[in-house]
Structures are given as C-alpha cells and as structure tokens.
C-alpha cells in the first residue's frame, strides 16, 4: 500500500506528461500529504497551468491574425479580379488604390500583432532614464492638428517639474500615443479631451457617456472575442489597449480606466 501511495502520483505525472505532449493540458495531479511528492505535484500543476495559458495565447494569436486578415485579403482578391477580367476599365485606378489601402491596413494589423507578441514573450526590456514630461508634450503637439480636424478641444495640465522615469522610451511613447488617439477619436458630446501629468501619474480625460463594464473587461485583453475596440470598418483592430497593457506590465506600472460621469479617464502610474 505504501509503495502504491508513493508511486501513484508519479504514474499520474507520467500519464499527464504524455497527454501534454499530444496537446492536452487539462490534467492535474492530486496533491498528497507527503511533503516531497506533494511539492512536486504542486510544481507540476503550476507548470501545466503556465503551458495551458501559453497554448491559449498561441491559439488566440493565430485565430485573431486569421480573422483580421480575412477581410482585407478578400477585398484585394475581388479588386484584382475586377482588373484582370476588365470589368470596368475606367475604374482600374480606383481598384488599384483600394488594393493599396488594404495592403497598408494589413501591414498595420501584422505590425500590431507582432508588437504584442514581442511584448508578451520579452524577457527583459531595454530601459533608460527618460523625461515623461518631454514624451507627453511631444505627443500632445503631434495630436493638436488631428484634434482640430476632429472638432475636439484639446487641453493639457502638465506639471512644471521634470518627471524622470526608467523606461523604454519608444514603448511609453506608443502607450501615450494610443491613449491620446483613442480619447480624440471617441470623444462625444462637447468633444473635449484633457491631458494631465502629475508627479507620477499620467491621465487622459474625454467627454463620453462612459464605457460599459462588459467592454471595460474585454478591451485590455487580446484573448477576448468580445473586444469592442475592434471596429466593423477595419479602422481599428482593437490591439492598441492590449499592447498598452503589456507595455505597462513589462514596466511594472499600474494602469486602468474609470467612468467619471460624463467623462472617461485612462491613466497609468509610474
């Protein structure tokens, strides 16, 4: 009986390992009272959970890429067929422009997914001392004309003192860019966007009816098929906030979103 009790968990681990080799990550090992065997079972189950999560990410990554590329590829095929079959020669220039636009869109989609994938699998980021104040001011200047075109009033409240952080400048600039871009695109009502930089917190406010809990739960997660940030016209893949989330996690920053009654704020704290 003693031998059976000691060897049973080991047999179960052997069987679970064979199942994992075939792609089945559902098996777990019962934790026994024997300290060494119990600890081994706990470690084995933790490893299995990690592998299951990685497999989920891999499958979701492939499914999302396939889903996002399906529409532009179909458009390109259709437009090329129109040109080849000489359906409407006078529209060939329009067909070619459409093919080009879809190719640009595909490039953006692939770039976003590759950025996300690199962040998820990065062991260590290259960091340097940077001025968050300088990054924010640069991004605000970049978006002034876009805000004006969208009929959005863009204001800012930036602290006078420098905010020096140890970060990957390109990634933090990308996150600030995404927050600003989204705030301007989705501003409603009075269409106002306010940027605020305090000593250790960056926030972007915009006038909005608010974000539903369902959307708030899904918009940071690439694995959610209910990500409402994806637009039907293809202008957004919904990848911006999942990428931001990975950027903040890699830096150890707190981040989030809140409804404030007539306003929505997105923030991160360094």
């Amino acid at each position: 009986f003693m031998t059976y009790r000691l060897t049973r968990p080991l047999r179960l681990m052997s069987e679970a390992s064979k199942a994992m080799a075939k792609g089945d990550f559902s098996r777990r090992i019962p934790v026994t009272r024997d300290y060494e065997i119990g600890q081994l079972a706990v470690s084995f189950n933790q490893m299995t959970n990690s592998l299951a999560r990685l497999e989920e990410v891999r499958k979701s990554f492939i499914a999302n890429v396939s889903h996002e590329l399906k529409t532009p590829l179909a458009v390109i095929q259709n437009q090329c067929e129109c040109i080849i079959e000489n359906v409407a020669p006078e529209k060939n220039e329009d067909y070619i422009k459409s093919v080009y636009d879809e190719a640009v869109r595909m490039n953006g989609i692939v770039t976003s997914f590759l950025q996300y994938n690199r962040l998820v699998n990065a062991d260590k980021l290259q960091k340097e001392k940077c001025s968050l104040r300088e990054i924010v001011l640069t991004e605000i200047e970049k978006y002034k004309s876009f805000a004006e075109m969208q009929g959005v009033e863009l204001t800012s409240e930036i602290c006078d003192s420098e905010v020096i952080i140890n970060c990957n400048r390109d990634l933090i600039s990308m996150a600030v860019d995404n927050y600003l871009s989204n705030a301007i695109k989705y501003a409603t009502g009075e269409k106002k966007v306010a940027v605020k930089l305090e000593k250790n917190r960056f926030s972007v406010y915009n006038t909005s009816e608010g974000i539903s809990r369902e959307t708030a739960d899904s918009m940071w997660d690439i694995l959610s098929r209910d990500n409402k940030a994806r637009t039907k016209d293809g202008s957004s893949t919904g990848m911006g906030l999942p990428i931001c989330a990975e950027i903040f996690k890699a830096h150890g920053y707190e981040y989030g979103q809140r409804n404030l009654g007539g306003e929505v704020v997105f923030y991160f704290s360094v």
Side-chain angles (χ1 to χ4, degrees):
F1 176 76
M2 180 65 70
T3 302
Y4 173 80
R5 193 180 71 176
L6 291 174
T7 59
R8 182 172 178 271
L10 298 177
R11 288 200 310 272
L12 291 175
M13 288 181 202
S14 176
E15 293 171 2
S17 297
K18 292 176 182 177
M20 280 193 288
K22 296 178 181 178
D24 178 6
F25 298 94
S26 62
R27 302 195 185 190
R28 299 294 183 272
I29 309 303
V31 178
T32 66
R33 293 181 181 179
D34 298 288
Y35 181 77
E36 290 83 0
I37 299 295
Q39 286 296 104
L40 181 60
V42 169
S43 297
F44 187 92
N45 289 338
Q46 289 174 343
M47 178 193 70
T48 303
N49 290 335
S50 297
L51 290 173
R53 172 65 179 175
L54 286 173
E55 179 65 8
E56 182 183 8
V57 169
R58 184 189 70 82
K59 288 180 177 179
S60 179
F61 182 80
I62 293 173
N64 281 324
V65 170
S66 301
H67 174 76
E68 296 297 342
L69 293 181
K70 183 178 179 180
T71 299
L73 283 172
V75 172
I76 288 174
Q77 179 179 342
N78 176 262
Q79 302 300 287
C80 287
E81 287 173 352
C82 289
I83 294 171
I84 292 170
E85 296 174 8
N86 211 26
V87 173
E90 70 279 4
K91 292 185 178 180
N92 280 355
E93 188 174 334
D94 293 334
Y95 295 150
I96 292 171
K97 185 180 182 303
S98 178
V99 169
Y100 174 79
D101 290 342
E102 292 302 323
V104 170
R105 177 185 167 196
M106 286 173 60
N107 184 57
I109 291 170
V110 171
T111 299
S112 294
F113 276 108
L114 290 177
Q115 286 172 337
Y116 179 85
N117 198 45
R118 279 197 295 268
L119 284 167
V120 169
N121 295 292
D123 293 326
K124 189 176 181 180
L125 291 179
Q126 291 185 343
K127 298 179 182 179
E128 59 182 331
K129 296 290 184 182
C130 297
S131 166
L132 181 57
R133 186 174 184 275
E134 180 185 325
I135 291 173
V136 170
L137 287 173
T138 299
E139 292 299 325
I140 290 174
E141 190 64 31
K142 186 173 77 177
Y143 272 98
K144 282 182 178 178
S145 59
F146 178 63
E148 188 176 344
M149 286 191 300
Q150 298 295 313
V152 172
E153 180 185 340
L154 177 60
T155 60
S156 60
E157 184 181 335
I158 310 299
C159 59
D160 294 328
S161 59
E162 282 290 356
V163 181
I164 305 299
I165 59 176
N166 189 37
C167 71
N168 183 295
R169 183 185 181 91
D170 290 340
L171 293 180
I172 295 302
S173 295
M174 185 189 302
V176 173
D177 178 288
N178 185 267
Y179 271 18
L180 271 170
S181 173
N182 284 347
I184 293 169
K185 284 192 294 186
Y186 297 115
T188 59
E190 296 180 351
K191 302 194 77 172
K192 294 182 178 180
V193 171
V195 181
K196 188 174 183 180
L197 177 62
E198 301 168 278
K199 185 176 180 180
N200 60 356
R201 186 183 177 94
F202 172 75
S203 309
V204 180
Y205 301 77
N206 73 340
T207 50
S208 171
E209 295 178 358
I211 297 174
S212 69
R213 178 172 293 182
E214 178 188 13
T215 300
D217 289 341
S218 68
M219 63 188 179
W220 300 98
D221 189 5
I222 189 178
L223 296 181
S224 175
R225 302 305 295 176
D226 297 323
N227 190 333
K228 299 297 188 302
R230 294 190 180 96
T231 53
K232 293 181 180 179
D233 64 1
S235 59
S236 174
T237 64
M239 287 296 299
L241 289 178
I243 289 174
C244 286
E246 293 303 323
I247 290 173
F248 298 142
K249 289 175 187 175
H251 285 83
Y253 296 168
E254 292 183 6
Y255 66 94
Q257 168 273 328
R258 290 176 186 164
N259 294 329
L260 300 176
E263 280 188 327
V264 171
V265 58
F266 281 83
Y267 65 89
F268 68 86
S269 301
V270 300

